[in-house]
Amino acid sequence: MAPTTNPDSSTILTPSAAAALLTSAQKAHLHAVASCLHTIYKTLVKMHFIDEDALITGPHTPSPSLLEKYRELKLDPTIIYLYSIMPYIDPDLTSARDFFQGGELFNPLNEQDVEQGRDPRYLDPEEGFYNQNGEYMYPWFTPLSGCGNHASCIVYDARGERIWVVDQIEGCTTDPFFAKDWYGDVEEEKEESNWGESDDGGWSAEGEGAKSGEDFDDEESDEESGGGSEFWSDDEGLTKEEVEQMLLDQDEDVNMEDEDEDEEEEEEEEEESEEDEKGDKTENENSLMMLSERSAIDVLCDINRWYIELKELPGQGEHNGWLDPKLLRPLYRKHGWPDIFDSRAFDIGMIFISSDKSAQYGAEEPLRKVDCYKSWLEYSDRDIRRYTQEIADADTPAAEWEARMQLWKAEERHQRNKKDLKNAQEKAARLCPGGIAQRDEDLPLWRLENLRVETKNKRREVERNDKMPDEFVGQTEKILAWERKCRKDQEALELYEAAYETAKADAERMCPSKTFQSATGIEGLGRKDTYWWIETQKELIVYFLEQIKEAQEFGERVPEEAPDTRNAVKDLIEGHEKSIERARTDQVRYEKWLEEHGNETDM
């Protein structure tokens, strides 16, 4: 493909003006790239990783400030045109942020993404493409994904019609095509419960009756999707052969005027480009030219295929860790991915696994407390030894009393931690006998209890949406956002209610005549009641009053020769007094709530 000649750098190019500078073949390839990205995003929508309404298709109309940013960054017309037609994921409409290999989704209409796209690997290169630490993103290059937190990024060369998949730190290719054993044998991964128990024990990861939803509907018209491009397909996924045929069809429409371009000028430009690449290979350590690359269409088609085959999984990056592949991959397969995917049952399965992890964390809290207080006790012992030595080494009264105050505080912490450790050990022995936080036979009850609390919280969210905030009146965008939130909250509640009912049936079948409290000795996993919060504030007040008394007694022993220590004691007392004021304020607030609403609890 002949390189496109850039207009004067002072010219602001609109997408239509950029299109006028491109051949039909160039535009056909750019549309094919946009179509392949759209297909990948549709696959991630079907996998229930990206919310469907967050997939925004082109054509887009860039804002004046965005067009100015394009000009400032000297973007090539090919990239300006691509940005106007490529789909993107609206971050306001979904929690999805991660993309291929833990990278980040790229938004061509976000100025920050576009600007960072000139240095997607965060290398802070020097100006010039021939320096040792030189630039590596030519104006006709663009990322199709960001690198995230030290992950890989996808870089597209619009002139060479190729793609590199590059590791941010190492600068090597991470395209699985070049490493035949990249994904290993994914068939070896077995489904396990969150506690490592196989399904053979009768404990179902999803429970009976979970499959009650409708199949995923992936059909949509161009009008419904917001897209108007004849090149976009609503198919589940374009094959490489389909894309290549699409390009061949478009090539047949190339105007005779395009074919009669000045061959001499074209040859000169091609030679210039080749010289650039040759020079880059030998001088610039940041250059992508030294890495293996492939046809852009081949790479994008493969990425979509890898998702469909579950070799690549959604999330897995900094923002959306989602699930361990050993849990996520079997969950997809269990619910019919990709051909007869039961998305509702999958969502309920996701809720179960998430709830189980939360319940496990709560169950292990007594054991964590023991470990925590043991560590704190060690720290206080270390501090006692340190400040005892500092007292011995002090050569002035000021230095001595500064160390004495620190020793006094360390000894107080030591006594408090020793007491807390004893209480924590007694509680752990009662709730986690033998160091076991959850007995296998009680796992259905743990799931049910945690889902009871979580479902109640979801119901509260829906109840809070009963009335639109007054400040939204007359503000269309805020109203639409609020309506979307209400809809999402209601959908989440319905899923959690279905998950709870399934978990309840499982618990009744697998743990007859047992309750969560009778099996675990724990009243419940919900938040503490209002009485508990009132008593907690009273205990805090007593505690800080005792701390003030001890600080005053210590302060009386500090001589005038140690003014800094005397001031430090004064500041400490003032801090405790403020803590008492906050506790009293909270006590009054909770007592007022109790009077108006009664004793609210999740227990």
Side-chain angles (χ1 to χ4, degrees):
M1 178 181 294
T4 305
T5 302
N6 286 330
D8 185 271
S9 60
S10 63
T11 303
I12 294 180
L13 278 182
T14 62
S16 59
L21 299 171
L22 307 179
T23 67
S24 295
Q26 284 177 308
K27 286 186 285 187
H29 191 273
L30 295 171
H31 276 278
V33 168
S35 182
C36 287
L37 271 175
H38 183 251
T39 299
I40 296 171
Y41 291 158
K42 288 284 288 183
T43 296
L44 292 175
V45 167
K46 182 177 178 180
M47 297 181 90
H48 274 209
F49 175 62
I50 294 175
D51 293 85
E52 188 167 14
D53 55 358
L55 172 51
I56 310 301
T57 55
H60 316 296
T61 302
S63 66
S65 64
L66 188 58
L67 291 175
E68 171 59 29
K69 178 62 67 174
Y70 293 166
R71 185 203 64 78
E72 176 189 325
L73 298 174
K74 301 178 182 178
L75 296 187
D76 190 78
T78 53
I79 302 305
I80 293 175
Y81 184 69
L82 175 64
Y83 283 178
S84 74
I85 63 171
M86 67 184 284
Y88 70 92
I89 304 304
D90 188 336
D92 293 331
L93 302 179
T94 183
S95 62
R97 298 292 184 273
D98 295 337
F99 192 31
F100 184 64
Q101 292 185 347
E104 293 180 337
L105 293 161
F106 176 77
N107 182 351
L109 299 189
N110 181 284
E111 291 191 21
Q112 184 176 349
D113 281 12
V114 171
E115 187 162 11
Q116 185 57 51
R118 296 301 90 202
D119 180 23
R121 291 182 57 205
Y122 292 85
L123 297 178
D124 193 20
E126 299 172 1
E127 187 174 350
F129 289 92
Y130 300 108
N131 295 324
Q132 186 177 13
N133 181 40
E135 298 170 86
Y136 57 98
M137 293 294 291
Y138 286 100
W140 50 91
F141 286 13
T142 182
L144 299 182
S145 71
C147 67
N149 186 15
H150 305 322
S152 298
C153 55
I154 303 171
V155 179
Y156 168 61
D157 171 8
R159 290 191 181 181
E161 300 181 355
R162 56 187 170 176
I163 275 178
W164 293 272
V165 186
V166 192
D167 179 81
Q168 181 203 3
I169 301 299
E170 300 298 331
C172 58
T173 181
T174 58
D175 185 344
F177 176 84
F178 298 109
K180 299 303 182 183
D181 59 347
W182 180 274
Y183 291 112
D185 185 2
V186 298
E187 297 297 331
E188 290 182 356
E189 294 180 1
K190 305 298 182 182
E191 181 175 9
E192 297 178 349
S193 76
N194 201 44
W195 298 274
E197 179 186 357
S198 71
D199 286 344
D200 295 336
W203 171 238
S204 167
E206 272 68 46
E208 293 183 355
K211 290 188 177 183
S212 58
E214 300 175 352
D215 291 339
F216 185 91
D217 184 6
D218 197 38
E219 298 294 328
E220 63 171 332
S221 66
D222 285 340
E223 181 179 358
E224 290 172 335
S225 68
S229 171
E230 60 185 313
F231 299 95
W232 287 335
S233 168
D234 287 326
D235 293 339
E236 293 292 323
L238 291 174
T239 65
K240 184 173 71 173
E241 291 75 16
E242 290 171 333
V243 175
E244 288 174 346
Q245 184 59 51
M246 182 174 67
L247 290 175
L248 288 174
D249 293 341
Q250 290 302 317
D251 284 343
E252 293 176 0
D253 296 331
V254 175
N255 295 329
M256 293 301 295
E257 182 179 349
D258 293 336
E259 295 176 353
D260 294 334
E261 288 177 344
D262 188 345
E263 293 184 3
E264 182 178 347
E265 179 182 346
E266 182 177 320
E267 289 174 2
E268 288 177 359
E269 289 174 337
E270 288 178 346
E271 287 174 4
E272 265 182 21
S273 180
E274 289 174 3
E275 288 177 4
D276 283 349
E277 295 181 10
K278 183 178 180 182
D280 235 14
K281 287 180 181 179
T282 57
E283 297 181 24
N284 188 349
E285 293 183 357
N286 296 334
S287 174
L288 299 175
M289 307 303 177
M290 297 180 289
L291 305 180
S292 299
E293 91 288 334
R294 288 197 291 146
S295 156
I297 302 305
D298 286 354
V299 174
L300 295 175
C301 287
D302 281 346
I303 289 175
N304 187 64
R305 176 173 58 82
W306 290 328
Y307 277 122
I308 291 174
E309 294 175 352
L310 299 179
K311 291 180 178 178
E312 194 72 26
L313 293 171
Q316 313 303 315
E318 175 185 15
H319 304 285
N320 308 109
W322 248 30
L323 292 180
D324 185 314
K326 291 184 178 180
L327 293 173
L328 185 56
R329 188 173 283 115
L331 190 63
Y332 274 114
R333 290 184 179 134
K334 178 169 187 174
H335 296 299
W337 178 264
D339 299 320
I340 51 171
F341 185 49
D342 188 338
S343 58
R344 182 177 175 82
F346 172 82
D347 287 341
I348 291 176
M350 287 286 290
I351 289 174
F352 282 170
I353 293 176
S354 175
S355 181
D356 292 347
K357 289 171 71 71
S358 177
Q360 181 186 17
Y361 186 85
E364 293 171 349
E365 177 66 12
L367 300 176
R368 282 195 303 277
K369 285 286 188 183
V370 171
D371 291 339
C372 177
Y373 290 131
K374 282 182 178 179
S375 296
W376 287 357
L377 197 59
E378 291 175 2
Y379 292 147
S380 61
D381 287 342
R382 179 201 62 190
D383 288 343
I384 288 174
R385 292 192 298 271
R386 171 189 171 185
Y387 295 121
T388 299
Q389 185 62 46
E390 287 188 8
I391 292 172
D393 296 340
D395 54 4
T396 65
E400 177 188 346
W401 280 96
E402 181 179 351
R404 285 189 180 281
M405 182 173 180
Q406 296 301 327
L407 176 62
W408 165 67
K409 290 165 68 176
E411 289 174 338
E412 192 278 332
R413 288 196 302 272
H414 177 85
Q415 293 301 319
R416 185 171 70 250
N417 291 334
K418 188 175 180 180
K419 177 182 177 182
D420 290 340
L421 174 60
K422 182 175 181 295
N423 293 336
Q425 288 173 328
E426 291 174 353
K427 184 175 182 180
R430 184 176 72 256
L431 299 179
C432 308
I436 299 175
Q438 293 174 319
R439 292 181 300 177
D440 290 345
E441 62 267 28
D442 297 333
L443 297 183
L445 297 170
W446 280 95
R447 171 182 287 177
L448 177 63
E449 171 60 17
N450 199 65
L451 279 173
R452 181 186 68 81
V453 175
E454 292 183 1
T455 302
K456 190 168 185 178
N457 290 335
K458 296 296 180 183
R459 191 172 295 112
R460 284 198 185 101
E461 285 293 321
V462 171
E463 291 170 354
R464 292 191 191 101
N465 295 334
D466 185 55
K467 184 178 183 299
M468 184 180 70
D470 294 336
E471 59 268 26
F472 289 179
V473 175
Q475 301 188 48
T476 304
E477 289 188 6
K478 289 187 175 181
I479 292 175
L480 290 175
W482 180 77
E483 290 175 345
R484 283 194 297 267
K485 178 184 181 303
C486 292
R487 185 173 66 254
K488 296 291 185 184
D489 289 346
Q490 181 62 39
E491 291 172 355
L493 173 60
E494 292 172 2
L495 277 173
Y496 270 83
E497 287 177 335
Y500 174 75
E501 291 301 323
T502 302
K504 183 178 180 182
D506 284 346
E508 290 173 350
R509 173 174 53 84
M510 301 173 70
C511 306
S513 70
K514 292 174 68 176
T515 66
F516 179 74
Q517 184 171 3
S518 68
T520 67
I522 302 172
E523 185 178 358
L525 298 179
R527 66 183 183 181
K528 305 298 183 180
D529 65 11
T530 309
Y531 286 118
W532 183 89
W533 286 108
I534 292 174
E535 291 304 313
T536 297
Q537 306 315 308
K538 292 179 179 179
E539 292 173 4
L540 285 173
I541 293 171
V542 172
Y543 169 77
F544 284 115
L545 285 173
E546 293 175 351
Q547 291 294 300
I548 289 175
K549 181 180 179 181
E550 292 178 8
Q552 289 172 336
E553 293 175 352
F554 176 82
E556 291 174 356
R557 303 199 305 269
V558 180
E560 294 183 359
E561 291 82 359
D564 290 344
T565 302
R566 292 171 67 91
N567 290 331
V569 173
K570 180 180 178 183
D571 292 341
L572 181 64
I573 292 173
E574 289 178 353
H576 290 335
E577 289 173 343
K578 289 179 181 179
S579 296
I580 291 174
E581 290 177 9
R582 286 193 296 269
R584 284 174 173 161
T585 300
D586 288 342
Q587 179 184 341
V588 171
R589 179 166 58 87
Y590 287 123
E591 288 173 342
K592 183 178 180 181
W593 178 273
L594 180 64
E595 181 180 348
E596 294 176 354
H597 303 279
N599 184 33
E600 184 170 319
T601 176
D602 283 336
M603 298 301 189

